[in-house]
Amino acid sequence: MSLVNTALQPESPDACIPSTASSSAGSAIASATRGEIAVALPMRHAGVRQVTLRYEVQGPADAPVVFIAGGISAHRHVSASSAFAEPGWANALVAAGRTLDPASHRVIAFDYVGADGGLDAPIDTADQADAIAVLLDALEIDRLQAFVGYSYGAMVGLQFAARHPQRLQKLVAVSGAHRPHPYASAWRALQRRAVALGQLQCADAQGLALARQFAMLSYRTPEEFGERFDSAPEIVNGRVRCAAEDYLDAAGAQYVARTPVTAYLRLSESIDLHRLDPASVQVQVVVVAVEGDRLVPLSDSVNLVEGLAGRGQLRVLRSPYGHDAFLKETDRIDLILAAVLRGHGAAP
Amino acid sequence: MSLVNTALQPESPDACIPSTASSSAGSAIASATRGEIAVALPMRHAGVRQVTLRYEVQGPADAPVVFIAGGISAHRHVSASSAFAEPGWANALVAAGRTLDPASHRVIAFDYVGADGGLDAPIDTADQADAIAVLLDALEIDRLQAFVGYSYGAMVGLQFAARHPQRLQKLVAVSGAHRPHPYASAWRALQRRAVALGQLQCADAQGLALARQFAMLSYRTPEEFGERFDSAPEIVNGRVRCAAEDYLDAAGAQYVARTPVTAYLRLSESIDLHRLDPASVQVQVVVVAVEGDRLVPLSDSVNLVEGLAGRGQLRVLRSPYGHDAFLKETDRIDLILAAVLRGHGAAP
C-alpha cells in the first residue's frame, strides 16, 4: 500500500467548534482535539482516491489508546467533552467512571471514509481499515490497546486486525462478523432501492427517510415494538396509521437531516461488500453477539469465533434492543470492556 | 346486519374460464364451479358498500364443506381442477390423497373483498367474515365442517367464528392471531409508504414491487436466505448488487403483474385494523404457530390460545419458511388438518 500527499491539518476554529480546548478543571491537557488529514487512499474497488480523514481524540496523550468505531451512521464525536459538549453517539460508554474513561484512556474515532458524501464509489471495509492505519501514522500512534468496533465498526475492526496486526493488542467486535448475513444484505439492498425510488423524482429525502425507517426495524426487535407501540391503529384521512408511525417519522427525519444520500448508499453497500477469512485475523478478538439481533445471527458470530480458533472468545447478550444493544445496554457492554481491557476477558 | 340486493350470478364463460366443467372422468359432477354475487355489504369503517363476491367451489355437493382462506394475495382458486387447470395458491394441500381431497370435501374459497382494487376504503376482517356468511347464504350452505385460515385468512376465520359461530364446527387458524403484532404492523406501514413514494411520480408499479420485496423478507427467514443466497455480491455499473436481488426482482414483478395497487394497500391495512377478543370466539380453534415466523411471534399465538380457554389448542411447527410455512410445509400442515378434520385434533 502506497500513500502520497498525507498532510496533517489541524481543523481551523472557523470550520467548527475550536479544535482544542482545556478541560473544565483548567489543566493544561486538552480535553479533546479534532483535526483532519488529506490522504490519497488506494481503495480495493475504486483505485486511488483523495479523501479527507476527520478525527477526534479525547484523553491524555500518554494513556493507552483505544480506537472506537460504530455503525455506518456513527462519526468521530463519540462522547461529550468540555471542548465538544454535545452528546456523542456512544456518550454513555465513553464517560467518567466507565472502562473507557477519557481520564484514563485516549479515545480516537473518525468519520468513515465516504461519510461526507463526497465519494461516490464502492467502499470496502479494508479501505476503512487502511485509512485508520494512515490516521494512526499521522497521529504518531504505533499501537492501540484495543480496537472497539460495533456493527460496521466490528467489520472494519476485523479488517484492521487482519491487515495491520502489529497496530493493535486486542479487538472487541460487537454485533458484526466476518461477512454480512445474506438476509441482512437483502434487507439493505431494498433500503437502497427505496432511496433510488425517491431519487427518480428528486424526492431524495423521502427515499432516504424510508430507507432509514426500514433499517430501524432491523436494528430493533419485535419485543421492543410490542412494549412501546401496542395501541390500536387510527384511521386518518381514510388511511390506516399504525402506532409506531410517529416514531418512524421522527427516526427518518432525524436521519435525513444529518446524512448525505451518497454517504448512506455507499456505506450501506460497504457492509454488503465486507468479506474476510477469520483465519486471517492473528490477534485476540472478543466477539460480542446479541441473541435476537435481526441483522447478525448468533450462528455467524459462532462461526467467526470458530474460525479465529484460539484467538477468539464469544460473549452473548440477550437484549430487547437487538442490533442496537451496544448503544442501549451500556452497563453490560461496559462490563465486557472492563474484562477485556483489564486483561481478564481476552484469554482463549 | 342487513343485506340488500344480494343476487347470485353465475359467471359468464366470456369473463374467464367457463364456470362449470365436467371432471376428467366424465362424471356428471362438476369438478369446480366459479361464480359471483353482488351484495350491499355493511362495513365497519366504510358504511354500506356495493361489492362483488367471487367464489370457487370444488368437490361433491354432498361432501363436508371446508372454507379455505389465505394471505392477502390469495384468491378463490385454491387448487387445480379439470375445470380450472392452472395451479392454485394452495395446490399441494387441496389435492387427491390429501386431507382436503376434493373427492371427499367440498372446498370453497373467495376473492377477498377489495382484492379487485375497486374498493378504496378501510376494510375490516369483520367485513370479510360477514361477506363469507353472505356467500354461504347464497350458496345455501348452513354450516362448515371447518374454516381453514392462513395468515390474513386466520384473522378472518377468527372473526367468522366470533360473529357467525353457528356457521362452523371448527376453525384452524394458521400463522395468524387475534391482533397483528406491532412490529409487523410497522413493517407493513413502511411497505405502504413504499407504494406511496412510487405513486408520487406515477411509478406505482415500482413502489408496489418494492413493497412486495420488503414483504417477502417478512414472510421468509434468515435461515432460508442463508442457504439460498450465500454468494458474494457483485459490483454492477459501479453499484453493489447482492445475491438475493434477482430473486427479489422476480418476486416484485410477479406480484405487480397480478395485484392492483389499491387492493394491496387496502388489504395490507386490513391486517393492521384486525383486533378481536379471543373470548368472543366460542367454537373449537386449532391455532398453528410457526416458530421463526417473523410476523406472528409465538407469544401472540400462545396468548390467543390462552384467551380461547378450553376452546383453543396450540400446534407449533419449526420451519425455515417462517410465515410461509403453510404454503411450503404441506406434508406437516396436512397431518395437522387430518387430525383436526378427522376429529382427533380439536379436543381441548
Side-chain angles (χ1 to χ4, degrees):
Chain A
M1 187 182 70
S2 71
L3 291 158
V4 287
N5 287 342
T6 302
L8 190 60
Q9 302 174 318
E11 194 163 274
S12 83
D14 292 329
C16 63
I17 298 166
S19 62
T20 61
S22 297
S23 73
S24 56
S27 115
I29 299 164
S31 69
T33 307
R34 283 179 180 170
E36 58 184 60
I37 62 172
V39 305
L41 187 71
M43 299 180 70
R44 184 170 272 182
H45 311 285
V48 177
R49 297 288 183 128
Q50 195 69 31
V51 299
T52 301
L53 306 181
R54 297 179 181 85
Y55 65 90
E56 185 175 316
V57 182
Q58 209 182 342
D62 57 351
V65 184
V66 174
F67 196 95
I68 185 158
I72 60 169
S73 51
H75 44 73
R76 64 179 173 178
H77 187 52
V78 173
S79 77
S81 59
S82 57
F84 307 108
E86 70 274 30
W89 62 267
N91 216 53
L93 273 174
V94 177
R98 292 294 198 183
T99 305
L100 294 176
D101 189 332
S104 60
H105 284 83
R106 190 159 177 80
V107 176
I108 306 182
F110 85 145
D111 292 349
Y112 283 120
V113 172
D116 59 6
L119 180 60
D120 197 10
I123 302 168
D124 202 278
T125 46
D127 304 329
Q128 304 286 3
D130 291 350
I132 291 169
V134 173
L135 175 61
L136 296 183
D137 286 342
L139 296 173
E140 297 181 342
I141 294 165
D142 283 342
R143 188 170 161 86
L144 304 169
Q145 183 194 24
F147 187 117
V148 177
Y150 148 65
S151 187
Y152 183 60
M155 295 173 159
V156 171
L158 286 163
Q159 291 281 13
F160 185 78
R163 297 167 76 86
H164 307 281
Q166 74 288 355
R167 306 299 295 253
L168 82 168
Q169 200 178 333
K170 292 170 185 169
L171 170 65
V172 183
V174 184
S175 303
H178 53 298
R179 66 155 194 178
H181 191 276
Y183 181 88
S185 290
W187 204 328
R188 278 183 295 268
L190 294 184
Q191 291 162 30
R192 296 193 291 272
R193 288 176 180 212
V195 172
L197 186 57
Q199 285 178 320
L200 268 188
Q201 62 194 348
C202 302
D204 294 38
Q206 228 169 315
L208 184 60
L210 183 59
R212 176 63 173 185
Q213 290 158 351
F214 270 114
M216 290 308 297
L217 293 190
S218 68
Y219 299 152
R220 301 304 179 84
T221 67
E223 289 81 352
E224 186 197 1
F225 273 62
E227 294 257 320
R228 291 178 64 177
F229 306 116
D230 184 24
S231 49
E234 293 174 4
I235 297 177
V236 180
N237 299 327
R239 295 276 170 194
V240 171
R241 187 172 170 85
C242 295
E245 290 192 64
D246 286 351
Y247 165 80
L248 292 167
D249 276 339
Q254 195 181 32
Y255 193 69
V256 164
R258 65 168 197 256
T259 312
V261 169
T262 301
Y264 165 77
L265 287 174
R266 292 308 190 173
L267 290 173
S268 168
E269 280 185 356
S270 186
I271 301 173
D272 293 323
L273 279 176
H274 174 70
R275 210 156 269 245
L276 164 142
D277 179 359
S280 67
V281 176
Q282 293 293 323
V283 303
Q284 292 291 329
V285 185
V286 176
V287 175
V288 183
V290 180
E291 202 195 331
D293 186 332
R294 292 172 93 79
L295 286 179
V296 185
L298 185 54
S299 55
D300 273 8
S301 298
V302 169
N303 287 341
L304 169 58
V305 171
E306 284 178 354
L308 289 165
R311 299 174 303 285
Q313 191 193 17
L314 181 64
R315 301 291 295 265
V316 181
L317 301 181
R318 168 85 207 163
S319 167
Y321 295 110
H323 190 70
D324 272 356
F326 180 81
L327 304 173
K328 294 282 186 179
E329 305 283 3
T330 46
D331 288 347
R332 296 158 75 194
I333 296 289
D334 186 58
L335 281 176
I336 292 172
L337 293 177
V340 176
L341 296 185
R342 290 167 196 163
H344 311 305
Chain B
M1 189 182 69
S2 71
L3 292 160
V4 288
N5 286 343
T6 301
L8 191 60
Q9 303 175 318
E11 193 162 275
S12 83
D14 292 328
C16 63
I17 297 165
S19 62
T20 61
S22 297
S23 73
S24 57
S27 115
I29 299 165
S31 69
T33 308
R34 282 179 180 169
E36 58 184 60
I37 61 172
V39 305
L41 187 70
M43 299 182 69
R44 183 170 272 182
H45 311 284
V48 177
R49 298 287 184 129
Q50 195 69 31
V51 299
T52 301
L53 306 181
R54 298 180 180 85
Y55 64 91
E56 185 174 318
V57 183
Q58 209 181 343
D62 56 352
V65 183
V66 175
F67 196 95
I68 185 158
I72 60 169
S73 50
H75 45 73
R76 64 180 173 178
H77 186 54
V78 173
S79 78
S81 59
S82 57
F84 308 108
E86 70 274 32
W89 62 267
N91 216 53
L93 273 174
V94 177
R98 292 295 198 181
T99 304
L100 295 176
D101 189 332
S104 59
H105 284 83
R106 190 159 178 80
V107 176
I108 306 182
F110 84 145
D111 292 349
Y112 283 120
V113 172
D116 58 6
L119 180 61
D120 196 9
I123 302 168
D124 202 279
T125 46
D127 303 329
Q128 304 285 3
D130 291 349
I132 291 168
V134 172
L135 176 60
L136 296 184
D137 286 342
L139 296 173
E140 296 180 344
I141 294 165
D142 283 341
R143 189 170 160 87
L144 304 169
Q145 182 193 27
F147 186 116
V148 177
Y150 149 66
S151 187
Y152 183 60
M155 294 173 159
V156 170
L158 285 163
Q159 290 281 13
F160 185 78
R163 297 167 75 86
H164 307 281
Q166 73 288 357
R167 306 298 294 255
L168 81 170
Q169 198 179 335
K170 291 171 186 170
L171 169 66
V172 183
V174 183
S175 303
H178 53 298
R179 65 155 194 178
H181 191 277
Y183 182 88
S185 291
W187 204 327
R188 278 184 295 267
L190 295 183
Q191 290 162 29
R192 296 193 292 270
R193 287 176 180 212
V195 172
L197 185 57
Q199 285 179 319
L200 269 187
Q201 65 194 347
C202 302
D204 294 38
Q206 228 169 314
L208 182 60
L210 183 59
R212 176 64 173 185
Q213 289 159 351
F214 270 114
M216 290 308 297
L217 293 190
S218 68
Y219 300 152
R220 302 302 180 85
T221 68
E223 288 82 353
E224 185 197 2
F225 273 62
E227 294 257 321
R228 291 178 65 177
F229 306 115
D230 184 25
S231 50
E234 293 175 4
I235 296 177
V236 181
N237 299 327
R239 295 275 171 194
V240 171
R241 187 172 171 84
C242 295
E245 290 192 63
D246 286 350
Y247 164 79
L248 292 167
D249 276 339
Q254 195 181 32
Y255 193 69
V256 164
R258 66 169 196 255
T259 313
V261 169
T262 301
Y264 166 76
L265 287 175
R266 292 308 190 173
L267 290 173
S268 168
E269 281 185 355
S270 185
I271 301 173
D272 293 323
L273 279 176
H274 175 70
R275 210 157 268 246
L276 163 142
D277 179 0
S280 67
V281 177
Q282 294 293 323
V283 303
Q284 292 292 328
V285 184
V286 175
V287 175
V288 182
V290 180
E291 203 194 332
D293 185 332
R294 292 171 94 78
L295 286 179
V296 184
L298 184 55
S299 55
D300 273 9
S301 299
V302 169
N303 287 341
L304 169 58
V305 171
E306 284 178 356
L308 289 166
R311 299 174 303 284
Q313 191 193 16
L314 180 64
R315 302 291 296 263
V316 181
L317 301 180
R318 169 85 206 165
S319 167
Y321 295 109
H323 189 70
D324 272 357
F326 181 82
L327 305 173
K328 294 284 186 177
E329 304 283 3
T330 46
D331 287 348
R332 295 159 75 195
I333 296 288
D334 187 57
L335 280 176
I336 292 172
L337 293 177
V340 175
L341 296 185
R342 289 166 197 165
H344 311 304

